Amino acid sequence: MPSLTLSGVTVNFPFPPYDCQKDYMVKVIECLQRKVNGVLESPTGTGKTLCLLCATLAWREHFKDTISACKIADRLGGKKMFQNTPLSSWGMAVTDGNNPTYYTDVPKIIYASRTHSQLAQVMNELKTTSYRPNVCVLGSREQLCINQEVMHQDSNHVKVHMCRRKVSTRSCVYYNNLEEKNTDKDLVNSVLDVEDLVKYGNKQKVCPYYLTRSLKQQADVIFMPYNYLLDPKSRRAHNIELNGAVIIFDEAHNVEKTCEESTSFDLTPYDVASAIDAVDRLLVEQAEEVSRGGTVTDDFSVEYLSSGLKMDIDTIAKIKQILLDLEAAIDSYDVPSDQGITKPGMYVMLCFIYELFERAHLTYSNKSGVYEALDHIGGYLAGQPGIYLNTAGLQKLADIIQLVFCGEPSEKDRQQQMQSNTAHFKVHIHQDTRHSKKKMSADVWSSPSTKKQGNILSYWCFSPGFSMQDLVNQGVHCIILTSGTLSPLSSFTSEMRIEFPVCLENSHVIERDQIFVSIIERGPDGVKLSSAFDRRFVPENMASLGNTIANLSRVVPHGLLVFFPSFPLMEKTLDFWRVQGHASRIDKLKPMFVEPKGKGTFTEVIDGYYNKVNDPTSRGGTFFAVCRGKASEGLDFADTFGRGVIITGLPFPPKLDPRVILKMQYLDEMSRKKADGLKYLSGQEWYRQQAFRAVNQAIGRVIRHKEDYGAIFLCDQRFRASDVQAQLPSWVRPYVRNYDSFGNMVRDVTHFFKIAQTVRPVVVKKGTAQGCETECLPDTSPFCVTSCSSSQSCLSQRGKVLDNHLVPSLKRRKLDDDSGASGMAGICVGYECDAQECEKRPADLLDALERGNHCLEKDYAVVREEKADRLSTLSLQYEKKMDVEQRGGKRKIKLVQEQKLDVSEDVFEEWKASRAKNFLADMKKSLSQVTFDCMVRALQTYKSTDNLDVLLNETSVLTEDTNTHNLLRSFYQFIRPHHKKRFDEKCQELTGQGCGYKPDHSLSKEEKKAMILQSEVTERQLVEDNQLNTQQLNKGGWHLTKQGLRKPQTGSAPNSVHAVFLSDVKKALGAEKSAQVFQAIHNYKMTDNYENLVTKAVSLFTEKDHNFNLLVRFGMVLRPYHKKQYSEMLDALIGTPLSTSDVPVVNEEPR
């Protein structure tokens, strides 16, 4: 595994990194070494997750090495262990100066992402590295509990308390096995995600939930969703220690929203009423107990001690009164039905939220007692058998008390603490106008307050910096925020309210020929496209958008993604299209799949889309989704699953939403106050930023790795504005094109995909019930199908393909690969194809040929060339190994005559096409788009008209600059034989250098074949004429036999033929390549390895058309038992049958 040194830290990386990956890792290490925060943006497909893991873990190892160096230095008393190696080279810069450092000071890494599915992808990436830290992933009981009695409970709150009771009474068999299993070496040293932990727990009968808590104590890296980290109550529940830890937020574009939501709440009338109902039930129960003459503490059983009520009836009554007063205080505000009333967090001298709670007799003085009482009552009721009683309201009120009354200020500091707590909040009270209210339990408390429509108390945080500052206050080592879409970074960092000294806006790894970005201002009918509020539902606008998508469905291959600003807009637009016929037009071209609102059917819909795109009989599929939805955030539409992304408008937040209005008001207030001396976004800037960030996230679905390509269509006239384009990702902006004409855009994108499919073919595997196939894309290439007899293997192949597309990862080729090269080859010779062989891809020419000898297909197989200048060709392989054949073993190669195809001619044409593709790619990089298009049209015209004068006239622009002279000469490969001489003379005249014309270049393909055959007949006749007549010399010396000469005589004709041939090889190939040929012949003489010899010969002699003659003559160096095989290979390669006798013969020594 390659290693490199960055900022003094040695990083092991799975493959040689790109420059942008090095830049990213340098920034990560800078944050860690300097103990400063960083915000790092790197586009999807650049491998940021892998870089993040490798850089962080490498620094952590370096930190430990530094501690070891310090300890050794202390032991040596200032002496040097190695005279020539100063201690500073061990990494002293990362320690805290003169402070003593211990191994316990090595920071833990807390890696947070949005969801557990994203964390599973990160852990899979970790498995590809050389680092093996102790890891654990935190999850909830909902995800990890395997006790069926607990999991059958309806309420999550009940599950929590039932679990706690079982643990305290040792009545959970899974928890009881924890001590025995938590030291299992295989467990400690494994990288297990949530699903793996559940499987392990079921297999070993041990509790996964408490197992993660145990593993957390010794873990070097802790994975968790970032709401666990940002939500104070979740942090306390999971006992997450932050002091000295490195905090990493991956997919951090959602952190802002999570920060605000984790410190906000909405207290509904139902929440308060259900809490009062629960307390009232308990009060009645305890009153009946007292009336029977008993006490509430008579039962001293173990279960009672753990879950029984340790609270007198007066305390319960006080809690009920507080809840009743709180409900009355909230409902005392007369709120208009169409709008709410808003109060600032800070209100005159006393903060409004504290004033409200004080009316319910809830203050800092008694908040701890009330919280403990609510928590205790909730736990007691949740553990009671019988009828289920909702205790969620109690739990919510307990959480609210912890949030509002955070901190433990003294009496004199209490006012300052309250002002600090509420500075970034607003209180909003509005009517509960929900149409579908939750139903209460059958024994609901019948207070008059529940019979009227109540008010909702909302306490909203409008600064994500509130949570971020809380993390900093915990003493973290540093905080790193990273994502593919954080730009504009300045506005993002200003929202966080903490310093970010390290920033990075990374470049992409793709080339300009892999991305097409167009702004479509008008549809095909000339109507301007816009999703603005006053235009979105105009029939002409919706019809024009439908026509636009229908036309793009024709030109975008395979999968097409269409993103709408919101669900209501998508639903109304689709309804309009169904009535007007646009939907049926799109569905006929590419079947339509629509993202559902709920999570239940999403998997089914997305699987249907994947299957349709993979279906070789269809033209792909169209997936309609919304910005900020599930499809735009977490899914990976790599390769054919996302060849195009259409953005139908700017997804601004709903401007009439109270929370949006208050957020904008809050930012405007802070901007005017210039609070804390920090720069705040204005409300309007934040509003626009939200739309652009959602667009950028959706755009990121199209390019998922280095070899991917796709098109982005921005279908809204507002994208033409320069300030709007400035908000697009930095890797997209250079490629944006504005089109006044829809037709011009269609022309250019059609050309883009035609070139991309030719230069970057993609292999797509598919599975069916009966067999599996491998399709070689693009459509211009011949299909290459490999049938498998095992349906099980096909399903596994299909699963692997889906995994590749669902799990983003960056896979690199070897260093000597050329990204633009691809070879096609196939053969139908052999016995049977097992599932394992069908799944493996050929690595090179010989691998492909060997695959052919062992598979009974009549089709082609796809082979990726190892180097761009290497030509894949065809030959036959042995079934047995060479050592068996050398011992005289019989070669069992069955030639299927019915499968005989003109394969080699196709291969040769593929090679020529590959060379042409590379030339077109180079030309596109060197010329402007207009000039490049002109050159392509000139070639197409020449192909159809055979008019060289027109071509010369169009390409004359290449003679104006000496830097493009070589491009003009490269056109020689496209010139037809009867024009080559004239084109060569014209290049000599215009550029001072010809194209290497030779007379045989003017020969047609048929004439070349005839010349090659005639040449070989002449050479064979020469050999026959110069050989000794063994019939006349049969009575001669002992060294003669009826088979002819055993040992060639000095100066004999065969040696002359050899000398002439070798001389011709040297002239044709040059010294370097001819030396490779001679070395291959020498190796063949020593090892008898036919495959290696022929592979080298074919790769060198087929680079130029006029060297095919040498390939035929090359047969003279082969031993007799290889000549038939070589003859058959030439037959396939040249397209004209050759018998064994046609292959030149030269006598040789016996083996």
Side-chain angles (χ1 to χ4, degrees):
M1 185 169 287
S3 63
L4 63 158
T5 301
L6 301 172
S7 302
V9 177
T10 300
V11 181
N12 295 325
F13 208 65
F15 47 78
Y18 306 120
D19 290 339
C20 65
Q21 291 173 329
K22 292 179 184 177
D23 295 341
Y24 186 90
M25 288 189 283
V26 166
K27 292 294 185 180
V28 172
I29 293 172
E30 182 182 352
C31 293
L32 298 169
Q33 289 180 335
R34 293 174 52 195
K35 286 189 173 183
V36 295
N37 305 322
V39 54
L40 313 176
E41 181 188 58
S42 191
T44 301
T46 54
K48 69 178 186 312
T49 299
L50 195 60
C51 294
L52 196 57
L53 290 170
C54 290
T56 305
L57 293 173
W59 170 84
R60 194 174 186 278
E61 288 190 355
H62 186 72
F63 193 97
K64 288 193 290 186
D65 291 343
T66 299
I67 296 175
S68 300
C70 292
K71 289 183 177 294
I72 292 172
D74 292 341
R75 292 286 183 90
L76 293 176
K79 297 179 182 179
K80 290 185 178 180
M81 177 178 286
F82 305 105
Q83 294 299 321
N84 298 325
T85 306
L87 191 63
S88 60
S89 67
W90 290 38
M92 290 295 292
V94 302
T95 59
D96 297 330
N98 297 322
N99 296 332
T101 307
Y102 305 96
Y103 288 114
T104 54
D105 296 328
V106 178
K108 284 183 180 291
I109 311 298
I110 296 180
Y111 196 110
S113 192
R114 192 169 63 94
T115 63
H116 274 103
S117 61
Q118 290 173 335
L119 289 173
Q121 296 171 10
V122 174
M123 297 175 83
N124 285 332
E125 292 282 6
L126 177 59
K127 294 174 184 177
T128 66
T129 71
S130 63
Y131 299 100
R132 287 298 176 265
N134 293 333
V135 305
C136 82
V137 57
L138 299 184
S140 65
R141 287 179 175 86
E142 187 77 25
Q143 296 161 316
L144 293 172
C145 181
I146 57 177
N147 187 306
Q148 293 304 308
E149 184 182 356
V150 175
M151 293 310 296
H152 285 160
Q153 302 303 314
D154 296 326
S155 166
N156 184 59
H157 183 60
V158 173
K159 290 177 184 177
V160 170
H161 286 283
M162 182 177 285
C163 172
R164 289 175 180 172
R165 188 176 73 252
K166 285 184 173 294
V167 167
S168 62
T169 59
R170 306 288 295 185
S171 58
C172 177
V173 63
Y174 302 103
Y175 177 80
N176 295 341
N177 292 332
L178 184 64
E179 293 181 4
E180 179 184 349
K181 299 294 183 181
N182 62 5
T183 57
D184 187 343
K185 287 186 178 180
D186 292 336
L187 173 66
V188 174
N189 297 328
S190 300
V191 179
L192 304 179
D193 60 23
V194 169
E195 290 185 7
D196 296 331
L197 284 168
V198 171
K199 291 177 183 177
Y200 179 87
N202 283 315
K203 183 178 180 181
Q204 301 294 332
K205 303 299 181 184
V206 64
C207 175
Y209 177 76
Y210 282 99
L211 191 60
T212 60
R213 291 195 161 203
S214 175
L215 293 174
K216 177 169 66 71
Q217 305 304 319
Q218 50 190 320
D220 304 319
V221 183
I222 306 172
F223 295 97
M224 67 186 73
Y226 47 59
N227 63 299
Y228 284 33
L229 197 58
L230 295 171
D231 190 341
K233 58 181 180 293
S234 294
R235 210 160 58 224
R236 287 190 295 268
H238 289 91
N239 194 25
I240 299 172
E241 177 60 45
L242 298 181
N243 186 33
V246 173
I247 309 297
I248 296 173
F249 288 98
D250 199 0
E251 303 299 333
H253 53 275
N254 283 313
V255 164
E256 173 194 354
K257 182 180 179 182
T258 306
C259 284
E260 294 180 353
E261 290 181 348
S262 65
T263 50
S264 302
F265 66 79
D266 295 290
L267 184 64
T268 68
Y270 174 71
D271 293 327
V272 181
S274 65
I276 295 173
D277 176 46
V279 174
D280 191 60
R281 280 290 303 273
L282 179 62
L283 195 59
V284 171
E285 176 186 315
Q286 297 301 309
E288 290 177 352
E289 184 73 21
V290 172
S291 67
R292 288 197 297 267
T295 66
V296 294
T297 58
D298 283 344
D299 189 352
F300 288 94
S301 67
V302 174
E303 186 166 338
Y304 180 84
L305 288 174
S306 63
S307 64
L309 189 67
K310 304 180 183 67
M311 187 181 302
D312 58 51
I313 196 167
D314 291 338
T315 303
I316 300 173
K318 289 179 180 178
I319 294 298
K320 178 181 177 180
Q321 188 61 49
I322 288 175
L323 298 179
L324 288 171
D325 292 342
L326 177 61
E327 182 183 51
I330 296 172
D331 288 341
S332 66
Y333 293 93
D334 189 12
V335 180
S337 58
D338 58 339
Q339 60 185 6
I341 60 172
T342 301
K343 300 290 185 181
M346 296 175 62
Y347 183 65
V348 194
M349 293 301 293
L350 184 64
C351 303
F352 178 80
I353 190 69
Y354 293 106
E355 181 187 80
L356 184 67
F357 278 110
E358 188 175 20
R359 292 171 59 184
H361 309 289
L362 183 58
T363 65
Y364 258 106
S365 300
N366 66 346
K367 59 107 175 178
S368 298
V370 175
Y371 168 78
E372 291 172 1
L374 290 173
D375 188 59
H376 190 62
I377 293 172
Y380 173 78
L381 293 176
Q384 294 300 299
I387 299 176
Y388 164 73
L389 187 65
N390 188 359
T391 57
L394 288 170
Q395 183 63 49
K396 188 169 187 177
L397 282 165
D399 293 340
I400 287 173
I401 290 173
Q402 281 194 308
L403 173 64
V404 174
F405 294 94
C406 62
E408 299 289 343
S410 62
E411 186 71 33
K412 64 176 183 178
D413 296 332
R414 191 167 293 172
Q415 183 66 32
Q416 184 179 352
Q417 178 74 45
M418 289 190 293
Q419 291 178 356
S420 174
N421 288 350
T422 57
H424 304 291
F425 290 79
K426 285 187 180 293
V427 180
H428 185 70
I429 301 176
H430 51 104
Q431 284 190 10
D432 185 7
T433 57
R434 295 171 299 170
H435 298 292
S436 55
K437 295 193 175 184
K438 298 179 181 178
K439 293 182 179 180
M440 299 183 188
S441 56
D443 54 345
V444 66
W445 180 62
S446 57
S447 168
S449 63
T450 63
K451 300 189 184 300
K452 70 177 184 65
Q453 196 173 40
N455 293 336
I456 296 177
L457 172 66
S458 296
Y459 187 60
W460 292 330
C461 176
F462 292 115
S463 174
F466 183 79
S467 294
M468 281 293 164
Q469 189 61 53
D470 186 35
L471 292 182
V472 173
N473 294 339
Q474 303 295 320
V476 298
H477 184 91
C478 66
I479 299 174
I480 298 176
L481 303 178
T482 184
S483 178
T485 50
L486 293 177
S487 58
L489 294 186
S490 58
S491 61
F492 180 82
T493 54
S494 67
E495 278 280 278
M496 293 296 111
R497 319 282 6 121
I498 59 175
E499 293 294 327
F500 287 98
V502 178
C503 294
L504 174 67
E505 201 168 352
N506 216 351
S507 59
H508 214 304
V509 293
I510 60 172
E511 303 293 338
R512 61 177 296 175
D513 64 331
Q514 292 175 253
I515 183 172
F516 179 92
V517 187
S518 65
I519 296 173
I520 303 177
E521 181 183 10
R522 299 175 184 270
D525 48 8
V527 176
K528 285 191 175 183
L529 301 175
S530 175
S531 66
F533 186 75
D534 59 341
R535 287 276 302 163
R536 58 179 58 180
F537 296 128
V538 174
E540 291 81 7
N541 182 72
M542 291 192 289
S544 185
L545 180 62
N547 292 330
T548 299
I549 295 176
N551 279 276
L552 292 177
S553 298
R554 290 190 176 91
V555 298
V556 176
H558 310 297
L560 177 63
L561 309 175
V562 183
F563 288 101
F564 284 84
S566 66
F567 272 111
L569 178 56
M570 179 175 72
E571 290 167 353
K572 289 188 178 181
T573 303
L574 290 177
D575 288 341
F576 177 85
W577 289 349
R578 291 186 185 102
V579 173
Q580 299 298 323
H582 298 88
S584 61
R585 288 173 53 200
I586 298 171
D587 197 63
K588 287 179 182 178
L589 295 165
K590 293 182 184 296
M592 298 169 60
F593 298 85
V594 181
E595 177 181 9
K597 278 188 177 180
K599 297 180 180 179
T601 58
F602 182 85
T603 301
E604 181 181 346
V605 173
I606 197 66
D607 285 347
Y609 171 74
Y610 287 146
N611 293 336
K612 182 57 66 175
V613 173
N614 271 337
D615 185 356
T617 63
S618 78
R619 297 180 62 178
T622 311
F623 193 87
F624 291 85
V626 296
C627 295
R628 302 186 188 91
K630 189 175 179 64
S632 70
E633 292 282 343
L635 288 188
D636 180 20
F637 295 94
D639 298 320
T640 56
F641 292 137
R643 283 292 177 231
V645 169
I646 299 175
I647 307 296
T648 63
L650 290 168
F652 290 105
K655 202 160 190 176
L656 299 180
D657 184 280
R659 198 161 184 170
V660 174
I661 294 172
L662 294 178
K663 171 75 173 183
M664 296 175 68
Q665 288 179 1
Y666 165 80
L667 290 173
D668 288 337
E669 291 170 5
M670 301 304 287
S671 296
R672 287 193 296 270
K673 292 178 182 178
K674 300 188 182 302
D676 304 326
L678 300 173
K679 180 183 178 183
Y680 279 80
L681 290 174
S682 69
Q684 191 61 35
E685 287 172 340
W686 170 86
Y687 186 71
R688 289 168 58 83
Q689 178 205 73
Q690 297 303 300
F692 297 131
R693 193 165 290 158
V695 167
N696 295 346
Q697 189 66 20
I699 284 175
R701 303 306 96 197
V702 70
I703 304 291
R704 305 301 297 179
H705 57 82
K706 184 178 183 296
E707 296 302 321
D708 205 356
Y709 62 88
I712 299 167
F713 306 97
L714 306 174
C715 299
D716 192 312
Q717 61 177 347
R718 291 175 291 180
F719 280 110
R720 289 183 66 92
S722 57
D723 60 329
V724 173
Q725 293 181 29
Q727 304 298 320
L728 295 173
S730 58
W731 61 274
V732 170
R733 290 196 294 267
Y735 308 109
V736 175
R737 308 181 191 183
N738 291 296
Y739 285 95
D740 294 324
S741 168
F742 188 83
N744 291 339
M745 184 278 301
V746 171
R747 178 200 64 205
D748 287 353
V749 75
T750 302
H751 180 71
F752 164 78
F753 279 116
K754 185 176 180 180
I755 296 297
Q757 286 181 304
T758 305
V759 175
R760 302 177 187 278
V762 176
V763 174
V764 181
K765 297 181 181 178
K766 309 176 188 65
T768 63
Q770 301 298 327
C772 61
E773 318 179 310
T774 300
E775 178 187 354
C776 176
L777 301 175
D779 297 335
T780 54
S781 307
F783 275 170
C784 311
V785 182
T786 304
S787 302
C788 296
S789 58
S790 170
S791 61
Q792 183 177 359
S793 70
C794 300
L795 292 174
S796 66
Q797 283 191 9
R798 176 183 171 191
K800 289 179 180 178
V801 172
L802 287 178
D803 285 345
N804 288 337
H805 292 297
L806 290 174
V807 180
S809 63
L810 190 65
K811 296 178 174 62
R812 283 289 299 268
R813 302 177 184 177
K814 296 179 181 179
L815 274 177
D816 58 350
D817 275 0
D818 187 312
S819 61
S822 63
M824 314 292 176
I827 195 68
C828 19
V829 185
Y831 299 110
E832 63 187 56
C833 170
D834 58 60
Q836 183 178 3
E837 288 177 328
C838 289
E839 289 177 358
K840 292 173 59 180
R841 287 190 61 191
D844 54 20
L845 170 66
L846 291 179
D847 191 11
L849 299 177
E850 185 172 357
R851 190 75 42 79
N853 282 335
H854 292 281
C855 295
L856 279 176
E857 300 99 58
K858 299 181 180 180
D859 313 291
Y860 295 121
V862 179
V863 182
R864 185 181 295 276
E865 292 177 340
E866 282 194 329
K867 293 187 178 180
D869 61 349
R870 182 144 177 196
L871 174 66
S872 295
T873 185
L874 305 170
S875 141
L876 296 176
Q877 288 281 8
Y878 307 113
E879 181 201 71
K880 302 292 184 180
K881 293 182 179 180
M882 183 59 70
D883 57 344
V884 176
E885 182 183 343
Q886 289 177 345
R887 292 195 299 268
K890 184 177 180 181
R891 290 183 294 126
K892 300 180 180 179
I893 299 179
K894 179 182 178 182
L895 300 181
V896 185
Q897 298 298 329
E898 294 79 12
Q899 298 171 353
K900 189 170 184 179
L901 302 170
D902 194 6
V903 178
S904 59
E905 188 168 341
D906 287 340
V907 171
F908 181 58
E909 292 301 324
E910 288 291 343
W911 167 73
K912 291 171 67 177
S914 175
R915 183 176 62 177
K917 294 169 195 172
N918 293 334
F919 164 68
L920 289 174
D922 292 339
M923 185 169 66
K924 189 171 185 178
K925 293 177 182 177
S926 305
L927 303 177
S928 67
Q929 186 63 41
V930 175
T931 307
F932 174 78
D933 292 342
C934 181
M935 296 299 101
V936 173
R937 286 195 297 270
L939 279 174
Q940 293 171 343
T941 303
Y942 174 70
K943 181 179 179 181
S944 60
T945 64
D946 197 39
N947 191 329
L948 182 64
D949 293 327
V950 174
L951 180 66
L952 289 172
N953 183 56
E954 293 291 338
T955 56
S956 60
V957 66
L958 300 179
T959 64
E960 298 172 1
D961 186 353
T962 56
N963 294 323
T964 58
H965 286 178
N966 64 321
L967 291 178
L968 176 63
R969 289 189 289 270
S970 296
F971 271 82
Y972 186 74
Q973 62 187 299
F974 301 106
I975 304 301
R976 290 175 174 144
H978 56 284
H979 287 149
K980 284 188 180 292
K981 182 177 180 181
R982 183 180 166 199
F983 187 86
D984 178 78
E985 293 171 346
K986 198 68 177 177
C987 286
Q988 182 70 40
E989 175 187 340
L990 296 174
T991 69
Q993 182 178 345
C995 305
Y997 171 78
K998 293 183 180 180
D1000 60 334
H1001 292 186
S1002 296
L1003 298 177
S1004 65
K1005 187 183 296 185
E1006 292 73 16
E1007 290 172 333
K1008 284 184 180 180
K1009 290 180 180 178
M1011 185 185 73
I1012 291 173
L1013 291 175
Q1014 182 61 38
S1015 172
E1016 294 312 316
V1017 170
T1018 304
E1019 287 195 11
R1020 187 171 66 254
Q1021 187 64 44
L1022 177 64
V1023 172
E1024 291 173 354
D1025 291 344
N1026 283 279
Q1027 282 185 335
L1028 295 174
N1029 189 329
T1030 57
Q1031 294 180 349
Q1032 296 178 4
L1033 299 177
N1034 202 25
K1035 297 179 182 179
W1038 57 269
H1039 57 282
L1040 297 177
T1041 67
K1042 62 182 179 180
Q1043 284 83 16
L1045 281 174
R1046 289 273 187 141
K1047 184 182 294 186
Q1049 297 176 352
T1050 304
S1052 63
N1055 274 347
S1056 300
V1057 174
H1058 253 145
V1060 172
F1061 171 71
L1062 297 179
S1063 175
D1064 291 344
V1065 169
K1066 195 167 185 179
K1067 289 179 182 177
L1069 301 182
E1072 182 179 355
K1073 291 185 178 180
S1074 61
Q1076 296 179 29
V1077 175
F1078 301 154
Q1079 183 61 44
I1081 295 173
H1082 175 74
N1083 294 340
Y1084 170 69
K1085 181 178 179 181
M1086 303 298 295
T1087 65
D1088 200 40
N1089 193 322
Y1090 167 81
E1091 287 73 28
N1092 288 348
L1093 177 68
V1094 172
T1095 300
K1096 177 60 68 175
V1098 168
S1099 67
L1100 294 175
F1101 291 141
T1102 56
E1103 288 182 349
K1104 297 180 181 179
D1105 296 356
H1106 53 269
N1107 287 341
F1108 264 72
N1109 179 31
L1110 295 175
L1111 184 62
V1112 178
R1113 294 167 60 189
F1114 188 76
M1116 68 176 61
V1117 305
L1118 298 176
R1119 289 171 175 145
Y1121 46 82
H1122 287 147
K1123 291 190 183 294
K1124 180 180 179 182
Q1125 192 173 351
Y1126 190 73
S1127 174
E1128 291 167 347
M1129 189 273 293
L1130 289 178
D1131 175 10
L1133 193 62
I1134 298 177
T1136 303
L1138 294 174
S1139 64
T1140 307
S1141 60
D1142 291 327
V1143 178
V1145 178
V1146 65
N1147 293 331
E1148 62 179 22
E1149 295 179 27
R1151 290 176 56 190

